[in-house]
């Protein structure tokens, strides 16, 4: 808050943009989709240059498509579809940098539409593109979201595997707080634990 006040008082757009992306990143990796969208709606990608706009499209796209699934509100779908369209355009400009994002958002949109087989295939394609991008945190994110998709659709063993891969990549990135949070989630959704709770095969 103090840094944001300094940015406003000095009209430092660079500082304000860095604060915005830091705040969105924290909420995004905490999977606090409502908070992500509160910031996104105040700061739409159209206000910023390409680099910042792509980050906002990623954060806002995943958050809005997830909220669309959870709430069935059309406004979240529209925002998510706009993010998919934007990232598809960026993908054509630089496949190396943006292909993994475009595929990830398309996977989430397929999931929203109930096209589970296509969603799964697109998640896998996004993982491949993120690996080609050679950024551990990108690959970690896709493994995490694919893992959650699997768990939500009764593919718990594969979901647990994907989350473990995400955990390893977050540690490789050095994001230990995120890794610790994800470990707690993994402990909850561990297939053995779930079987013990339900007393039925998964």
């Amino acid at each position: 808050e103090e840094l944001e006040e300094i940015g406003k008082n000095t009209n430092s757009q660079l500082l304000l943009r860095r604060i915005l992306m830091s705040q969105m990143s924290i909420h995004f990796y905490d999977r606090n989709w409502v908070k992500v969208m509160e910031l996104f709606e105040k700061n739409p990608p159209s206000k910023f240059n390409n680099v910042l706009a792509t980050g906002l499209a990623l954060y806002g796209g995943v958050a809005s498509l997830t909220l669309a699934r959870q709430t069935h509100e059309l406004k979240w779908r529209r925002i998510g579809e706009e993010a998919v369209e934007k990232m598809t355009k960026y993908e054509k400009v630089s496949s190396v940098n943006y292909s993994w994002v475009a595929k990830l958002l398309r996977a989430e949109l397929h999931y929203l539409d109930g096209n589970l087989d296509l969603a799964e295939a697109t998640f896998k394609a996004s993982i491949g593109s993120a690996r080609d991008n050679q950024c551990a945190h990108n690959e970690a994110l896709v493994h995490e979201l694919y893992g959650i998709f699997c768990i939500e659709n009764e593919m718990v063993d594969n979901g647990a595997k994907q989350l473990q891969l995400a955990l390893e990549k977050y540690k490789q990135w050095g994001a230990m707080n995120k890794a610790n949070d994800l470990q707690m989630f993994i402990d909850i959704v561990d297939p053995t634990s779930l079987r013990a709770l339900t007393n039925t095969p998964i």
Side-chain angles (χ1 to χ4, degrees):
E1 290 181 3
E2 187 174 338
L3 279 176
E4 189 171 3
E5 192 65 28
I6 292 171
K8 289 177 179 177
N9 289 338
T10 60
N11 196 29
S12 173
Q13 294 303 309
L14 178 61
L15 178 57
L16 289 172
R17 289 173 185 178
R18 287 183 174 178
I19 292 170
L20 168 64
M21 291 309 294
S22 176
Q23 291 173 335
M24 287 196 76
S25 178
I26 290 168
H27 294 315
F28 182 81
Y29 282 100
D30 282 344
R31 298 197 298 274
N32 190 335
W33 310 126
V34 173
K35 287 290 187 182
V36 170
M37 293 313 299
E38 286 177 0
L39 289 170
F40 182 91
E41 291 187 298
K42 293 176 183 176
N43 303 276
S46 57
K47 289 176 57 177
F48 303 105
N49 62 26
N50 287 356
V51 174
L52 190 57
T54 54
L56 290 171
L58 166 62
Y59 292 163
V62 171
S64 59
L65 291 168
T66 303
L67 288 173
R69 276 201 322 276
Q70 294 174 349
T71 68
H72 308 291
E73 290 187 27
L74 288 178
K75 82 166 187 174
W76 299 131
R77 167 183 275 278
R78 285 195 293 269
I79 293 172
E81 288 175 338
E82 289 172 4
V84 171
E85 183 179 346
K86 183 178 291 292
M87 290 312 308
T88 298
K89 290 178 181 178
Y90 284 127
E91 182 183 24
K92 293 176 181 177
V93 175
S94 178
S95 175
V96 172
N97 289 323
Y98 302 123
S99 180
W100 74 273
V101 185
K103 289 171 182 173
L104 174 60
L105 293 181
R106 285 197 289 269
E108 293 287 355
L109 183 57
H110 293 321
Y111 184 15
L112 174 60
D113 288 335
N115 297 325
L116 301 186
D117 289 342
L118 187 55
E120 183 172 16
T122 312
F123 273 118
K124 290 178 179 178
S126 179
I127 289 171
S129 294
R131 187 175 298 122
D132 292 341
N133 189 246
Q134 297 184 344
C135 290
H137 62 290
N138 296 343
E139 193 176 345
L141 174 62
V142 186
H143 278 299
E144 179 182 3
L145 295 178
Y146 176 38
I148 291 171
F149 163 82
C150 289
I151 288 166
E152 290 178 346
N153 290 281
E154 300 182 359
M155 296 179 282
V156 180
D157 288 310
N158 190 33
K161 175 184 175 182
Q162 297 303 319
L163 293 177
Q164 193 62 44
L165 290 169
L167 180 66
E168 292 168 6
K169 289 295 179 180
Y170 281 128
K171 288 180 178 178
Q172 181 181 330
W173 184 32
M176 299 313 296
N177 285 341
K178 172 62 184 179
N180 291 337
D181 288 343
L182 185 57
Q183 182 63 66
M184 287 189 288
F185 182 67
I186 289 172
D187 291 341
I188 293 170
V189 300
D190 175 74
T192 304
S193 300
L194 290 179
R195 288 192 184 99
L197 285 172
T198 60
N199 199 30
T200 56
I202 295 173

